[in-house]
Amino acid sequence: MRNIIMFSTLIFTFCCFAENSVISGKTVNVFDGDGHIVSSDVSELLLRNCKFEITSSEGEKSKLVFGEREFIADEISYRQQDDGSCLVTLQNEPDNKR
């Protein structure tokens, strides 16, 4: 009985903290003239669901927040998928165009 209570408590705790999570993602690399990576930005995320918050950040950027994770981009858009997951697109202007 004691093990059942402990197991139930762990499952409840895990469910609360795992409400949303990253399933997969894509990055965009920016290279210099010599072919070295100058920066790497997250361009797309597939999240478990669309339960997150998008707010404004410094310098008119958008900030995506869920749990203890946050992503900042020039523009953030999202679309809920048929399976309940959420496809999030993060767009950033290259540094040389800013």
Side-chain angles (χ1 to χ4, degrees), residues 58-72:
E58 296 176 17
E60 298 181 24
K61 291 189 175 261
S62 297
K63 182 175 15 175
L64 169 74
V65 179
F66 61 93
E68 293 183 11
R69 298 187 137 200
E70 66 179 47
F71 298 89
I72 297 174

Side-chain angles (χ1 to χ4, degrees), residues 5-85:
I5 293 172
M6 281 182 49
F7 185 72
S8 299
T9 304
L10 289 174
I11 288 177
F12 177 76
T13 303
F14 176 77
C15 290
C16 290
F17 287 111
E19 187 173 296
N20 203 350
S21 59
V22 176
I23 297 171
S24 65
K26 293 181 182 178
T27 59
V28 174
N29 295 322
V30 177
F31 297 91
D32 64 10
D34 297 327
H36 299 101
I37 295 176
V38 176
S39 68
S40 184
D41 293 325
V42 175
S43 62
E44 189 176 277
L45 294 170
L46 183 61
L47 301 179
R48 185 172 169 189
N49 57 51
C50 289
K51 295 179 183 176
F52 51 79
E53 179 182 348
I54 297 178
T55 59
S56 295
S57 179
E58 296 176 17
E60 298 181 24
K61 291 189 175 261
S62 297
K63 182 175 15 175
L64 169 74
V65 179
F66 61 93
E68 293 183 11
R69 298 187 137 200
E70 66 179 47
F71 298 89
I72 297 174
D74 293 329
E75 184 179 330
I76 299 174
S77 60
Y78 64 94
R79 185 177 65 233
Q80 185 167 5
Q81 306 296 300
D82 293 336
D83 63 357
S85 63

